[in-house]
Amino acid sequence: MNLKLSYISILLAAAGVLSSCDSYLDIEPKGRTQLTTTTDYLGLLEEISPNYDHSNSWTMCDEASWYILGDLERYTVPLRSAAYFWDESVDRCSYTIDSELYNNCYSRITNYNAIISNIDKADGPESEKELAMAQAKAMRAYNYFFLVNTFARPYNPATAESEPGVIVREKMFESIEDEGIQQSVAYTYRFIKQDLVDAIPTLPHKAINSFRPDRTFGYALKAKVHLFMREIDECIAACRDALDEAAAGGHQLWDMNAEYNRYGPMLLNAYGIDMAIDDPRYGYINPTIENIWKNAITYNYDGAENLLYQFGTTYTDPYSMYVTKRVLDLFEQNADMRYRCCIRYNRTHDTAPEGDREFATLSIRWNPGGMRLSEVYLMLAECYARKGGPQNIALAMQYLDTLRSHRLIAGKYTRLTASTDEEALRHVREERKRELFLTCNGFFDMRRFCVEFNETVTKEINGTTYSIGPDSHLLTYPFPLKAMQTSKLIQNSK
């Protein structure tokens, strides 16, 4: 992305982000070429399609494959194949001419900087200026978090000050001659943290819709930043703040048992004793039953669990991505409503990898690019597992059980237990994989765990073993060529 934008370019571009096809973003286009009121600036907080491209990162972290295995084997799409086979020999830079994720994040940051630099001059109440400033800083932090966790090396306290990170623009460009400065990984994280510290006290208890940040989101994102920086006690404190704030924001975990209790008896009454009702492995017996689970159960953008809703590569993501067998095998398929409601029981393409299945619902808005309240419970569980010892392990299992009791059918699952620190952390990591599959978290987790624990991850495909280790450049995506040509970026990967 060419970061040398003039002030008028920002104003002209801003007019295009003030409308949406979603009922939650029904703001009519202003058709203006300048921003004069607080309402104009507040409109910059939303866009028609708040997309975060995940297509290759889902494959990199072994959560997604493709409906035609032959395409992967033939390298029809080289970047996807390199991700699937963890192939370090592919020159990814030569294929990365442009990047939708890179462009979209910096385009949003440009809008947020326009708010932060100029909202004080706008016509409108002071309360709206404070709201716009806080929400712009929270969203700027979120977008920089995506950028640094995609295009820079994972955070390591020992090397973060010297590791090159991403370009950080702290304010709107004042001149077309201005150039962005590529800061270190540590600097980028400090900037993100400061934005959140500044924003949280003024963020609203409840935002006008799930596409704008509220205070619960601010605390949850702050906790996530601490977690990625290995600041465990600080993460716990921010998570507790998020849970304390959640009720004010109208946030609570989605109890999927309620959906099972609604449709299970109905299906039994209509179809009699049918294994397909209680065990997805027998879904082929009566496809109508599977269609009920996939279509009748809905969860929309404004679901109380969503702290911030953002799209994936498209607004339909992750439908209809193929999920790998290695992820699906982590589910208790006869008890877990996440599997029952989201995963097709039989593959619809014989060309897909054996055992992989489609994410098969559009009725549940999966929130692949945003944050859900469930992340707070998972972060608390991880922190206490990391602290270790019997009392902390018990707390970790307690937070996991709270989440799982909202996801698995009551009476059909066994509460997780752990006798060692290692077992507790393994439970946490597997639950993160189940709860957060096909979101941004799989790739981000893969990066941080590989580096922090010096892990080498392996998988087997058609009898061949593939591996990826903590020093692999595949854990960092290369900057797009267009960005390299219009800035002084140092390439972080290949």
Side-chain angles (χ1 to χ4, degrees), residues 223-242:
K224 194 168 186 172
V225 173
H226 286 306
L227 179 63
F228 277 55
M229 296 180 73
R230 310 180 194 177
E231 298 170 346
I232 302 304
D233 289 334
E234 292 89 342
C235 178
I236 290 173
C239 282
R240 287 176 174 166
D241 287 337

Side-chain angles (χ1 to χ4, degrees), residues 105-145:
C105 284
Y106 276 113
S107 177
R108 286 187 281 263
I109 288 168
T110 296
N111 287 338
Y112 306 144
N113 281 344
I115 295 171
I116 293 164
S117 296
N118 292 287
I119 188 70
D120 62 318
K121 306 181 189 72
D123 297 327
E126 196 65 29
S127 59
E128 288 190 356
K129 294 179 182 180
E130 293 175 354
L131 172 65
M133 179 75 77
Q135 291 187 318
K137 286 192 172 185
M139 290 303 295
R140 183 170 69 176
Y142 193 60
N143 279 266
Y144 274 127
F145 186 81

Side-chain angles (χ1 to χ4, degrees), residues 431-448:
E431 192 60 35
R432 286 187 67 85
K433 205 71 168 173
R434 287 185 287 263
E435 173 67 16
L436 303 174
F437 77 100
L438 298 188
T439 69
C440 59
N441 294 281
F443 178 60
F444 293 170
D445 281 354
M446 179 188 194
R447 286 163 42 91
R448 68 186 179 98

Side-chain angles (χ1 to χ4, degrees), residues 23 33 45 95 154 169 188 203 211 216 251 258 279 282 311-312 357 390 408 435 467:
S23 59
T33 58
L45 291 167
Y95 293 107
R169 290 298 307 182
T188 308
L203 286 173
F211 291 86
T216 310
H251 298 298
D279 195 331
Y282 300 104
F311 300 150
R357 297 288 183 269
L408 279 72
E435 173 67 16
S467 64

Side-chain angles (χ1 to χ4, degrees), residues 328-451:
L328 300 182
D329 284 347
L330 295 174
F331 287 89
E332 299 165 60
Q333 296 178 8
N334 68 326
D336 202 316
M337 287 295 288
R338 293 168 294 195
Y339 186 97
R340 182 184 301 273
C341 296
C342 296
I343 303 300
R344 193 171 299 284
Y345 305 153
N346 297 282
R347 62 178 179 172
T348 55
H349 299 91
D350 292 337
T351 54
E354 184 66 35
D356 295 7
R357 297 288 183 269
E358 288 171 278
F359 187 97
T361 178
L362 283 169
S363 298
I364 295 175
R365 299 295 181 178
W366 195 242
N367 199 3
M371 287 192 75
R372 305 195 298 248
L373 187 62
S374 59
E375 276 199 61
V376 177
Y377 288 87
L378 289 167
M379 286 190 286
L380 281 166
E382 180 178 337
C383 286
Y384 282 113
R386 284 171 173 268
K387 288 172 77 70
Q391 289 185 324
N392 288 323
I393 289 175
L395 282 170
M397 296 302 102
Q398 177 182 317
Y399 283 114
L400 285 187
D401 190 58
T402 299
L403 174 59
R404 286 166 57 80
S405 69
H406 287 73
R407 298 295 189 251
L408 279 72
I409 299 168
K412 288 183 176 291
Y413 80 99
T414 303
R415 190 177 187 273
L416 296 176
T417 61
S419 56
T420 65
D421 301 351
E422 292 76 16
E423 187 180 14
L425 187 56
R426 176 176 61 81
H427 282 319
V428 171
R429 292 180 61 174
E430 289 180 352
E431 192 60 35
R432 286 187 67 85
K433 205 71 168 173
R434 287 185 287 263
E435 173 67 16
L436 303 174
F437 77 100
L438 298 188
T439 69
C440 59
N441 294 281
F443 178 60
F444 293 170
D445 281 354
M446 179 188 194
R447 286 163 42 91
R448 68 186 179 98
F449 288 135
C450 275
V451 170

Side-chain angles (χ1 to χ4, degrees), residues 70-334:
D71 283 353
L72 296 171
E73 295 172 331
R74 291 187 292 271
Y75 282 63
T76 302
V77 182
L79 290 177
R80 188 185 297 275
S81 294
Y84 186 69
F85 293 111
W86 294 337
D87 188 347
E88 295 183 341
S89 70
V90 174
D91 179 10
R92 295 187 301 168
C93 291
S94 65
Y95 293 107
T96 310
I97 308 302
D98 213 347
S99 166
E100 183 178 347
L101 176 64
Y102 188 92
N103 293 344
N104 286 348
C105 284
Y106 276 113
S107 177
R108 286 187 281 263
I109 288 168
T110 296
N111 287 338
Y112 306 144
N113 281 344
I115 295 171
I116 293 164
S117 296
N118 292 287
I119 188 70
D120 62 318
K121 306 181 189 72
D123 297 327
E126 196 65 29
S127 59
E128 288 190 356
K129 294 179 182 180
E130 293 175 354
L131 172 65
M133 179 75 77
Q135 291 187 318
K137 286 192 172 185
M139 290 303 295
R140 183 170 69 176
Y142 193 60
N143 279 266
Y144 274 127
F145 186 81
F146 257 86
L147 288 166
V148 77
N149 278 284
T150 303
F151 299 102
R153 286 283 296 168
Y155 186 92
N156 182 342
T159 60
E161 293 289 354
S162 58
E163 290 278 5
V166 298
I167 288 176
V168 177
R169 290 298 307 182
E170 303 182 22
K171 60 182 179 178
M172 197 178 73
F173 288 107
E174 296 178 353
S175 166
I176 198 170
E177 301 302 322
D178 282 0
E179 286 189 346
I181 299 173
Q182 183 178 10
Q183 302 287 1
S184 69
V185 170
Y187 183 99
T188 308
Y189 268 87
R190 283 196 295 270
F191 184 79
I192 291 168
K193 286 171 70 173
Q194 189 60 53
D195 261 356
L196 292 171
V197 168
D198 293 346
I200 287 172
T202 316
L203 286 173
H205 292 297
K206 187 175 181 62
I208 64 170
N209 60 51
S210 63
F211 291 86
R212 293 195 189 185
D214 64 10
R215 197 173 299 179
T216 310
F217 166 79
Y219 283 128
L221 179 57
K222 184 173 183 288
K224 194 168 186 172
V225 173
H226 286 306
L227 179 63
F228 277 55
M229 296 180 73
R230 310 180 194 177
E231 298 170 346
I232 302 304
D233 289 334
E234 292 89 342
C235 178
I236 290 173
C239 282
R240 287 176 174 166
D241 287 337
L243 292 185
D244 289 343
E245 175 66 25
H251 298 298
Q252 61 183 2
L253 291 174
W254 177 26
D255 189 357
M256 300 183 79
N257 268 286
E259 312 299 339
Y260 177 81
N261 293 335
R262 180 186 310 169
Y263 292 102
M266 183 189 307
L267 292 171
L268 282 170
N269 183 60
Y271 297 105
I273 303 300
D274 190 327
M275 289 183 294
I277 293 172
D278 284 324
D279 195 331
R281 291 173 297 177
Y282 300 104
Y284 62 87
I285 294 174
N286 191 332
T288 302
I289 294 174
E290 180 178 3
N291 289 333
I292 292 293
W293 297 125
K294 299 296 185 292
N295 298 312
I297 295 177
T298 61
Y299 203 73
N300 222 321
Y301 299 123
D302 60 350
E305 190 170 305
N306 289 324
L307 305 184
L308 178 76
Y309 197 97
Q310 302 284 270
F311 300 150
T313 307
T314 72
Y315 77 95
T316 66
D317 272 354
Y319 178 90
S320 54
M321 185 63 67
Y322 263 83
V323 185
T324 63
K325 182 178 185 298
R326 291 169 290 280
V327 171
L328 300 182
D329 284 347
L330 295 174
F331 287 89
E332 299 165 60
Q333 296 178 8
N334 68 326

